[in-house]
């Protein structure tokens, strides 16, 4: 049970959001988080062998958006919990994200309550 | 308890309360404050500073794009989408509301509406900046304090 820290990847093109979400995960939940700024970087990082328990994926990003990145990650066999984050969580974005293979889809911003919902489903999580 | 410090803390609380009462800030700001601790006592100020630094680039971009004729509504909407995201991440409620209005005007292809709401947004943005500068300055002077109290 030595190192059961949950690992996370934050994928968002906004540097402020990356910083806020990373800090929130680390301070409130003791989750170590790496950050990248678009879907393509996320895919490449996973392809290079990096493994994450949870991937927080923003929807709208340049180069490769969240839904497309989710599709590619699933096609690669990535089993991480993928949490889609969008500015419009009801409707099309949500459908698209879930269809692409994400486990959740929340409206921005990510907050404590939403992270708790995700963690409750994750096997490593203990309160 | 030091009388000056008590006075500072009360003043700080009053400023914060008015920022919420007047609708400048929303719950997201409180969420940020919850991430502050002894090891990172100025986290919120750092985030807000980062926000004003990064967003000034987006505002210039919007300014320039609004000078074109005819307007490229798609481009304006894309830039504003990003700006709105950042603004809502620090809890800038009024700024965020103007961003939403601006985007509606973009979708309606209403150039006059866009320009008007952009001007209004810049006013709110500048006003918030001033108020937060005062707030943070006072917070630093007051020293480590109970930031977790919630406005009524």
């Amino acid at each position: 049970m030595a190192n059961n820290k949950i690992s996370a990847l934050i994928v968002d093109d906004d540097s402020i959001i990356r910083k806020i979400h990373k800090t929130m995960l680390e301070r409130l939940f003791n989750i170590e988080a790496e950050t990248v700024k678009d879907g393509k970087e996320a895919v490449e990082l996973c392809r290079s062998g990096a493994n994450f328990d949870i991937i927080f994926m923003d929807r709208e990003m340049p180069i490769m958006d969240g839904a497309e990145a989710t599709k590619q990650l699933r096609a690669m066999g990535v089993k991480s919990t993928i949490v889609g984050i969008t500015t419009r969580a009801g409707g099309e974005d949500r459908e698209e994200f879930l269809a692409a293979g994400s486990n959740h889809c929340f409206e921005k911003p990510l907050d404590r309550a939403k992270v708790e919902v995700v963690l409750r489903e994750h096997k490593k999580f203990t309160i | 308890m030091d009388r000056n410090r008590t006075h500072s803390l009360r003043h700080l609380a009053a400023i914060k309360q008015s920022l919420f009462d007047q609708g400048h800030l929303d719950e997201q700001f409180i969420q940020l404050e919850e991430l502050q601790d002894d090891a990172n006592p100025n986290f919120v100020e750092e985030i807000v500073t980062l926000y004003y630094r990064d967003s000034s680039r987006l505002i210039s971009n919007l300014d320039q794009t609004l000078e074109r004729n005819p307007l490229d509504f798609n481009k304006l909407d894309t830039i504003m989408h990003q700006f709105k995201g950042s603004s809502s991440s620090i809890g800038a409620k009024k700024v965020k509301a103007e961003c939403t209005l601006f985007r509606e005007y973009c979708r309606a292809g209403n150039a006059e509406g866009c320009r008007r709401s952009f001007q209004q947004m810049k006013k709110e943005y500048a006003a918030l900046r001033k108020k937060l500068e005062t707030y943070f300055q006072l917070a630093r002077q007051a020293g480590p304090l109970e930031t977790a109290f919630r406005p009524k």
Side-chain angles (χ1 to χ4, degrees), chain B residues 51-64:
Chain B
Y51 164 72
Y52 275 101
R53 196 194 66 199
D54 285 4
S55 58
S56 68
R57 178 181 45 90
L58 292 173
I59 291 189
S60 301
N61 214 342
L62 284 164
D63 255 317
Q64 283 167 23

PDB file of all heavy atoms in Angstrom, chain B residues 51-64:
ATOM      1  N   TYR B  51      -4.163  35.729 -14.593  1.00  0.00           N
ATOM      2  CA  TYR B  51      -5.355  36.002 -15.406  1.00  0.00           C
ATOM      3  C   TYR B  51      -5.242  37.347 -16.103  1.00  0.00           C
ATOM      4  O   TYR B  51      -5.429  37.458 -17.315  1.00  0.00           O
ATOM      5  CB  TYR B  51      -6.596  35.966 -14.518  1.00  0.00           C
ATOM      6  CG  TYR B  51      -7.835  36.592 -15.150  1.00  0.00           C
ATOM      7  CD1 TYR B  51      -8.510  35.952 -16.184  1.00  0.00           C
ATOM      8  CD2 TYR B  51      -8.303  37.821 -14.714  1.00  0.00           C
ATOM      9  CE1 TYR B  51      -9.634  36.534 -16.763  1.00  0.00           C
ATOM     10  CE2 TYR B  51      -9.431  38.399 -15.286  1.00  0.00           C
ATOM     11  CZ  TYR B  51     -10.086  37.759 -16.301  1.00  0.00           C
ATOM     12  OH  TYR B  51     -11.201  38.329 -16.870  1.00  0.00           O
ATOM     13  N   TYR B  52      -4.904  38.395 -15.367  1.00  0.00           N
ATOM     14  CA  TYR B  52      -4.836  39.723 -15.990  1.00  0.00           C
ATOM     15  C   TYR B  52      -3.701  39.802 -17.001  1.00  0.00           C
ATOM     16  O   TYR B  52      -3.802  40.478 -18.024  1.00  0.00           O
ATOM     17  CB  TYR B  52      -4.755  40.828 -14.922  1.00  0.00           C
ATOM     18  CG  TYR B  52      -6.125  41.222 -14.436  1.00  0.00           C
ATOM     19  CD1 TYR B  52      -6.618  40.747 -13.228  1.00  0.00           C
ATOM     20  CD2 TYR B  52      -6.958  42.025 -15.215  1.00  0.00           C
ATOM     21  CE1 TYR B  52      -7.899  41.071 -12.806  1.00  0.00           C
ATOM     22  CE2 TYR B  52      -8.236  42.346 -14.805  1.00  0.00           C
ATOM     23  CZ  TYR B  52      -8.697  41.855 -13.596  1.00  0.00           C
ATOM     24  OH  TYR B  52      -9.981  42.175 -13.186  1.00  0.00           O
ATOM     25  N   ARG B  53      -2.643  39.068 -16.728  1.00  0.00           N
ATOM     26  CA  ARG B  53      -1.524  39.076 -17.676  1.00  0.00           C
ATOM     27  C   ARG B  53      -1.907  38.371 -18.976  1.00  0.00           C
ATOM     28  O   ARG B  53      -1.789  38.922 -20.060  1.00  0.00           O
ATOM     29  CB  ARG B  53      -0.314  38.388 -17.045  1.00  0.00           C
ATOM     30  CG  ARG B  53       0.988  38.688 -17.775  1.00  0.00           C
ATOM     31  CD  ARG B  53       2.088  37.749 -17.347  1.00  0.00           C
ATOM     32  NE  ARG B  53       1.781  36.385 -17.753  1.00  0.00           N
ATOM     33  CZ  ARG B  53       2.361  35.316 -17.216  1.00  0.00           C
ATOM     34  NH1 ARG B  53       3.232  35.445 -16.250  1.00  0.00           N
ATOM     35  NH2 ARG B  53       2.040  34.113 -17.650  1.00  0.00           N
ATOM     36  N   ASP B  54      -2.426  37.151 -18.860  1.00  0.00           N
ATOM     37  CA  ASP B  54      -2.791  36.368 -20.040  1.00  0.00           C
ATOM     38  C   ASP B  54      -3.947  36.979 -20.818  1.00  0.00           C
ATOM     39  O   ASP B  54      -3.967  36.969 -22.047  1.00  0.00           O
ATOM     40  CB  ASP B  54      -3.182  34.938 -19.636  1.00  0.00           C
ATOM     41  CG  ASP B  54      -1.962  34.104 -19.280  1.00  0.00           C
ATOM     42  OD1 ASP B  54      -0.853  34.651 -19.269  1.00  0.00           O
ATOM     43  OD2 ASP B  54      -2.132  32.905 -19.016  1.00  0.00           O
ATOM     44  N   SER B  55      -4.913  37.477 -20.097  1.00  0.00           N
ATOM     45  CA  SER B  55      -6.114  37.957 -20.794  1.00  0.00           C
ATOM     46  C   SER B  55      -5.879  39.278 -21.523  1.00  0.00           C
ATOM     47  O   SER B  55      -6.636  39.606 -22.443  1.00  0.00           O
ATOM     48  CB  SER B  55      -7.289  38.066 -19.826  1.00  0.00           C
ATOM     49  OG  SER B  55      -6.964  38.928 -18.776  1.00  0.00           O
ATOM     50  N   SER B  56      -4.849  40.025 -21.149  1.00  0.00           N
ATOM     51  CA  SER B  56      -4.610  41.289 -21.845  1.00  0.00           C
ATOM     52  C   SER B  56      -4.275  41.028 -23.313  1.00  0.00           C
ATOM     53  O   SER B  56      -4.631  41.801 -24.206  1.00  0.00           O
ATOM     54  CB  SER B  56      -3.507  42.101 -21.168  1.00  0.00           C
ATOM     55  OG  SER B  56      -2.277  41.456 -21.312  1.00  0.00           O
ATOM     56  N   ARG B  57      -3.634  39.893 -23.545  1.00  0.00           N
ATOM     57  CA  ARG B  57      -3.311  39.489 -24.920  1.00  0.00           C
ATOM     58  C   ARG B  57      -4.609  39.231 -25.697  1.00  0.00           C
ATOM     59  O   ARG B  57      -4.765  39.632 -26.850  1.00  0.00           O
ATOM     60  CB  ARG B  57      -2.444  38.227 -24.845  1.00  0.00           C
ATOM     61  CG  ARG B  57      -2.039  37.632 -26.165  1.00  0.00           C
ATOM     62  CD  ARG B  57      -1.196  36.361 -25.948  1.00  0.00           C
ATOM     63  NE  ARG B  57      -1.738  35.466 -24.924  1.00  0.00           N
ATOM     64  CZ  ARG B  57      -2.611  34.486 -25.145  1.00  0.00           C
ATOM     65  NH1 ARG B  57      -3.081  34.283 -26.359  1.00  0.00           N
ATOM     66  NH2 ARG B  57      -3.045  33.721 -24.154  1.00  0.00           N
ATOM     67  N   LEU B  58      -5.554  38.541 -25.056  1.00  0.00           N
ATOM     68  CA  LEU B  58      -6.829  38.230 -25.713  1.00  0.00           C
ATOM     69  C   LEU B  58      -7.611  39.508 -25.992  1.00  0.00           C
ATOM     70  O   LEU B  58      -8.242  39.653 -27.036  1.00  0.00           O
ATOM     71  CB  LEU B  58      -7.667  37.305 -24.821  1.00  0.00           C
ATOM     72  CG  LEU B  58      -7.123  35.883 -24.624  1.00  0.00           C
ATOM     73  CD1 LEU B  58      -7.961  35.135 -23.597  1.00  0.00           C
ATOM     74  CD2 LEU B  58      -7.110  35.126 -25.936  1.00  0.00           C
ATOM     75  N   ILE B  59      -7.547  40.436 -25.056  1.00  0.00           N
ATOM     76  CA  ILE B  59      -8.272  41.694 -25.252  1.00  0.00           C
ATOM     77  C   ILE B  59      -7.699  42.489 -26.417  1.00  0.00           C
ATOM     78  O   ILE B  59      -8.450  43.050 -27.229  1.00  0.00           O
ATOM     79  CB  ILE B  59      -8.278  42.515 -23.944  1.00  0.00           C
ATOM     80  CG1 ILE B  59      -9.147  41.801 -22.926  1.00  0.00           C
ATOM     81  CG2 ILE B  59      -8.800  43.919 -24.190  1.00  0.00           C
ATOM     82  CD1 ILE B  59      -9.423  42.574 -21.681  1.00  0.00           C
ATOM     83  N   SER B  60      -6.384  42.536 -26.541  1.00  0.00           N
ATOM     84  CA  SER B  60      -5.774  43.221 -27.705  1.00  0.00           C
ATOM     85  C   SER B  60      -6.229  42.568 -28.987  1.00  0.00           C
ATOM     86  O   SER B  60      -6.547  43.234 -29.972  1.00  0.00           O
ATOM     87  CB  SER B  60      -4.257  43.112 -27.692  1.00  0.00           C
ATOM     88  OG  SER B  60      -3.745  43.669 -26.554  1.00  0.00           O
ATOM     89  N   ASN B  61      -6.232  41.266 -28.964  1.00  0.00           N
ATOM     90  CA  ASN B  61      -6.656  40.488 -30.105  1.00  0.00           C
ATOM     91  C   ASN B  61      -8.090  40.850 -30.504  1.00  0.00           C
ATOM     92  O   ASN B  61      -8.393  41.064 -31.682  1.00  0.00           O
ATOM     93  CB  ASN B  61      -6.589  39.009 -29.711  1.00  0.00           C
ATOM     94  CG  ASN B  61      -6.201  38.143 -30.876  1.00  0.00           C
ATOM     95  OD1 ASN B  61      -6.300  38.561 -32.032  1.00  0.00           O
ATOM     96  ND2 ASN B  61      -5.782  36.927 -30.589  1.00  0.00           N
ATOM     97  N   LEU B  62      -8.954  40.931 -29.507  1.00  0.00           N
ATOM     98  CA  LEU B  62     -10.358  41.291 -29.753  1.00  0.00           C
ATOM     99  C   LEU B  62     -10.457  42.716 -30.295  1.00  0.00           C
ATOM    100  O   LEU B  62     -11.188  42.975 -31.249  1.00  0.00           O
ATOM    101  CB  LEU B  62     -11.175  41.168 -28.463  1.00  0.00           C
ATOM    102  CG  LEU B  62     -11.525  39.745 -28.039  1.00  0.00           C
ATOM    103  CD1 LEU B  62     -11.973  39.705 -26.588  1.00  0.00           C
ATOM    104  CD2 LEU B  62     -12.623  39.169 -28.929  1.00  0.00           C
ATOM    105  N   ASP B  63      -9.695  43.612 -29.702  1.00  0.00           N
ATOM    106  CA  ASP B  63      -9.669  45.008 -30.154  1.00  0.00           C
ATOM    107  C   ASP B  63      -9.348  45.086 -31.640  1.00  0.00           C
ATOM    108  O   ASP B  63     -10.047  45.743 -32.411  1.00  0.00           O
ATOM    109  CB  ASP B  63      -8.598  45.795 -29.391  1.00  0.00           C
ATOM    110  CG  ASP B  63      -9.200  46.713 -28.329  1.00  0.00           C
ATOM    111  OD1 ASP B  63     -10.222  47.377 -28.634  1.00  0.00           O
ATOM    112  OD2 ASP B  63      -8.678  46.746 -27.204  1.00  0.00           O
ATOM    113  N   GLN B  64      -8.277  44.409 -32.009  1.00  0.00           N
ATOM    114  CA  GLN B  64      -7.842  44.433 -33.412  1.00  0.00           C
ATOM    115  C   GLN B  64      -8.884  43.807 -34.327  1.00  0.00           C
ATOM    116  O   GLN B  64      -9.190  44.340 -35.391  1.00  0.00           O
ATOM    117  CB  GLN B  64      -6.537  43.651 -33.579  1.00  0.00           C
ATOM    118  CG  GLN B  64      -5.318  44.410 -33.093  1.00  0.00           C
ATOM    119  CD  GLN B  64      -4.113  43.496 -32.987  1.00  0.00           C
ATOM    120  OE1 GLN B  64      -4.042  42.437 -33.649  1.00  0.00           O
ATOM    121  NE2 GLN B  64      -3.156  43.871 -32.166  1.00  0.00           N
TER     122      GLN B  64
END
